[in-house]
């Protein structure tokens, strides 16, 4: 143990503390040879008597004995626990408040290690900082420690160490912060928990999820996997709307209780393992750390569905609810909290779309399709302006004579990232976002211009018509009649060489403005065709009231026309009846998906007018169509291209 400084008298150290206080109050500058500024912090004892006293220097200045006794009394009476330690960290003197915290007499603390008493060596970083203060190389040190009170309870304390100038000692103060920490803990609990269900809220859920993902990178004892069940109550809004928010809140509380019980039955993971949280509204999430695989999460999701299917009795109200659950389970490595919850949200949407009251497991392929669809949706409209679309044409062949009567224009998207895309990849997207109007107008203009070019290039051959698909939204969101009239005038194509195709469901449901538009187009001389006939309403009464001139039989009928050995008599009977009915109404009939000569022969025998399919040609470039037009019918047995 080092020698006490000076004179082995605790009062000397207290007097030095007083001198430090007086300098801070009076602003007196230090004399040469005093302690550096870096190790001269201000220490104030509010209980001490303030009296001007000259600071000792070199032990030569006289000291007032009464001052020493006054500061000794203030030191002992202070509620703040304090101790003076020497450069070796041993207690020189301590006040009764410190003794009370440690459950002993203050005198018994003399010559004991302050680091041991206050647990300052519990972590290397803090202990090093404390030693730096003792050595005079650091001006201040502060840390928080959990101490054991003499009555057995835990005590949170803030320990501060400050060098005392000109004394070779350090003043330690120990402030009890237990009440403050308890208040902070209560406030944090309120901040992190849902007031209705008492479950952790969205903030705490993401905090725990983020921590679980980070810890998994360093934890060799776990599975390294993580899972989430993200659920939403089906029809909860109706409960609030009909029974009121009070009943709705009771229902949420009851649901939370059942979810907690389901999670407790499994007790999946470490340190409390699971976490059940209310993310907002009627959305809940169950987090499973160190999951063992998708089967475990699927079992949990199924148990939740089963638990929620049992009716709820709420203050005389008997309610039955169901839930849709999105289940995601994956390796924690490389996973982010945002990415995991985006996948869970997407999967929950699938569960809702698939019929509700079910759980659905995340499917990477399905998600990739969704992401592709989103990417296409965001770039479709600019793609029209950038000229990324092209048209190919599939021949419509006269079944009797074999000549090309017309072509159907089929749009292709030459996407810079995904390559050539067929219409089924983007037409529905265009209809949803309204870009079908802009795209449809481009297709119509391009097809009409091309048909006119074929007509000019082959003056000795009967002109062929061009058939263009039209969406109902083009009728509603634009003036289709004006668009068609303007494009025909611009390109010089005769109206009877243009055929517009609409699906059966669209045409049969037409009324009001769509019906008026179709009638105006028919009056103009444009042919109207019903595409995929036989798959929609099939309400034949509409055929007598709509301005339709062509029926295109769906390919499902033609596929039954394989060969004589495998023919479906019912398909042939239906097709024959439809062809006869159409002819009696003055309509022509086109059969789609003709792939074999046997099918073509049977369709010809039935009386079908034209055929379209791979037997004749796939959709090809305008140049290939020009070559077909130039060949006489007798020289093209099947027009196979």
């Amino acid at each position: 143990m080092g020698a006490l400084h000076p004179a082995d008298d605790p009062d000397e150290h207290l007097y030095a503390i007083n001198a430090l206080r007086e300098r801070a109050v009076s602003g007196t500058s230090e004399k040469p040879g005093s302690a550096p500024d870096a190790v001269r912090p201000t220490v104030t004892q509010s209980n001490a008597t303030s009296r001007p006293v000259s600071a000792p220097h070199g032990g030569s200045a006289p000291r007032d004995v009464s001052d020493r006794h006054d500061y000794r009394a203030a030191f002992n009476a202070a509620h703040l626990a304090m101790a003076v330690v020497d450069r070796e960290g041993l207690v020189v003197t301590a006040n009764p408040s410190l003794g009370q915290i440690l459950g002993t007499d203050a005198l018994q603390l003399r010559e004991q290690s302050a680091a041991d008493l206050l647990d300052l060596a519990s972590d290397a970083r803090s202990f090093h900082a404390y030693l730096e203060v003792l050595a005079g190389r650091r001006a201040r040190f502060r840390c928080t420690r959990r101490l054991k009170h003499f009555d057995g309870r835990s005590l949170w304390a803030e320990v501060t160490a400050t060098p005392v100038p000109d004394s070779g000692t350090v003043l330690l103060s120990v402030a009890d912060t237990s009440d403050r920490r308890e208040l902070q803990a209560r406030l944090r609990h309120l901040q992190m928990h849902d007031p209705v269900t008492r479950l952790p809220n969205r903030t705490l859920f993401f905090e725990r999820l983020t921590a679980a993902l980070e810890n998994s990178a360093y934890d060799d004892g776990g599975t390294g996997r993580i899972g989430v069940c993200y659920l939403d109550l089906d029809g909860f809004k109706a409960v609030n709307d009909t029974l009121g928010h009070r009943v709705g809140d009771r229902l949420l509380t009851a649901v939370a209780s059942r979810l907690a019980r389901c999670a407790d039955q499994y007790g999946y993971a470490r340190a409390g393992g699971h976490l059940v949280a209310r993310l907002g509204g009627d959305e809940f999430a169950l987090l499973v750390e160190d999951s063992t695989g998708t089967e475990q999460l699927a079992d949990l999701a199924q148990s939740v569905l089963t638990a929620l299917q049992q009716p709820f009795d709420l203050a005389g109200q008997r309610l039955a609810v169901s839930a849709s659950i999105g289940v995601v389970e994956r390796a924690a490595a490389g996973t982010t909290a945002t990415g995991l919850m985006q996948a869970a949200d997407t999967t929950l949407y699938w569960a809702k779309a698939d019929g509700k009251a079910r759980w659905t497991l995340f499917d990477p392929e399905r998600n990739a399709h969704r992401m592709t669809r989103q990417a296409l949706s965001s770039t479709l409209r600019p793609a029209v302006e950038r000229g990324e679309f092209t048209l190919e044409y599939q021949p419509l062949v006269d079944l009797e004579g074999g000549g090309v009567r017309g072509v159907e224009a089929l749009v292709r998207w030459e996407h810079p990232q995904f390559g050539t895309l067929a219409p089924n990849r983007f037409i529905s997207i265009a209809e949803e976002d309204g870009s079908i109007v802009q795209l449809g107008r481009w297709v119509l203009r391009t097809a009409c211009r091309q048909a006119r070019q074929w007509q000019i290039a082959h003056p000795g051959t009967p002109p062929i018509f061009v058939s263009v698909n039209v969406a109902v939204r083009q009728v509603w969101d634009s003036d289709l009649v004006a668009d068609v009239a303007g494009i025909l005038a611009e390109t010089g194509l005769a109206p009877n060489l243009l055929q517009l195709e609409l699906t059966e469901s669209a045409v049969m449901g037409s009324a009001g403005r769509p019906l008026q538009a179709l009638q105006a187009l028919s009056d103009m001389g444009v042919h109207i065709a019903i595409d995929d006939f036989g798959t929609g309403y099939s309400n034949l009464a509409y055929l007598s009231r709509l301005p339709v001139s062509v029926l295109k039989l769906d390919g499902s009928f033609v596929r039954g026309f394989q060969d004589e050995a495998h023919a479906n008599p019912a398909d042939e009977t239906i097709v024959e009846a439809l062809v006869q009915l159409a002819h009696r109404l003055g309509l022509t009939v086109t059969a789609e998906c003709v792939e074999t000569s046997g099918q073509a022969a049977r369709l010809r025998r039935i009386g079908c007018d034209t055929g379209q399919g791979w037997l004749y040609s796939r959709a090809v470039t305008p140049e290939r169509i020009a070559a077909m037009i130039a060949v006489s019918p007798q020289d093209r047995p099947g027009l196979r291209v």
Side-chain angles (χ1 to χ4, degrees), residues 33 40 74 95 120 129 143 147 150 239 252 263 269 302 317 350 393 443 471 508 528 537 613 618:
R40 199 185 310 119
N95 68 353
L120 299 180
C143 69
L147 307 178
F150 72 90
V239 175
L252 291 174
Q302 186 58 52
Q317 296 285 347
W350 294 342
Y393 302 88
V443 170
M508 294 304 183
I528 305 298
Y537 293 90
R618 296 172 181 264

Side-chain angles (χ1 to χ4, degrees), residues 93-174:
T93 184
N95 68 353
S97 295
L98 182 60
Q100 185 178 15
I101 287 178
L102 300 176
T104 186
D105 187 271
L107 295 176
Q108 300 298 320
L109 299 177
R110 292 189 65 179
E111 300 186 10
Q112 293 193 44
S113 169
D116 293 341
L117 294 172
L118 302 177
D119 195 30
L120 299 180
S122 59
D123 71 87
R125 185 174 180 180
S126 296
F127 188 54
H128 175 73
Y130 170 62
L131 294 179
E132 290 288 291
V133 174
L134 293 181
R137 293 190 293 268
R138 185 182 177 114
R140 189 180 182 85
F141 162 71
R142 178 179 292 169
C143 69
T144 299
R145 286 292 179 269
R146 190 172 187 176
L147 307 178
K148 200 76 172 177
H149 196 274
F150 72 90
D151 61 6
R153 65 184 175 90
S154 294
L155 172 74
W156 285 99
E158 185 178 82
V159 180
T160 304
T162 308
V164 180
D166 302 330
S167 67
T169 59
V170 171
L171 175 66
L172 289 180
S173 61
V174 183

Side-chain angles (χ1 to χ4, degrees), residues 389 391 393 407 409 439-458 464-468 483-484 486-494 497-498 622 629:
F389 291 91
L391 288 185
Y393 302 88
V407 293
L439 177 60
R441 192 177 290 124
W442 177 87
V443 170
L444 185 63
R445 177 177 288 105
T446 304
C448 289
R449 183 181 295 117
Q450 182 61 63
R452 177 59 177 157
Q453 289 175 359
W454 286 324
Q455 183 182 10
I456 295 173
H458 303 277
I464 63 173
F465 68 87
V466 63
S467 189
V468 178
D483 287 345
V484 170
I487 289 172
L488 290 176
E490 173 189 332
T491 59
L493 187 69
L497 295 179
L498 174 62
I629 297 173

Side-chain angles (χ1 to χ4, degrees), residues 144 157-158 175-187:
T144 299
E158 185 178 82
D176 185 350
T177 60
S178 299
D179 291 343
R180 185 174 68 191
R181 286 182 68 92
E182 182 181 354
L183 177 60
Q184 289 174 341
R186 290 173 60 189
L187 291 174

Side-chain angles (χ1 to χ4, degrees), residues 223-227 268-269 288-293 296-297 329-330:
T223 65
R225 302 187 68 81
I226 196 162
Y268 285 121
V288 179
E289 301 177 44
D290 285 334
S291 62
T292 58
Q296 185 186 37
L297 269 293
E329 197 279 341
R330 60 178 55 170

Side-chain angles (χ1 to χ4, degrees), residues 209-210 213-214 216 224 226 328 330-341:
L209 174 58
T210 302
L213 292 172
E214 291 175 350
S216 66
I226 196 162
V328 180
R330 60 178 55 170
T335 297
T336 64
T338 301
L340 185 67
M341 292 310 296

Side-chain angles (χ1 to χ4, degrees), residues 108 123 133 152 176 242 253 258 277 281 331 337 369 480 496 572 578:
Q108 300 298 320
D123 71 87
V133 174
D176 185 350
T242 58
T253 302
R258 292 192 187 181
H369 177 74
L480 182 62
N496 67 316
E572 184 168 349
L578 289 175

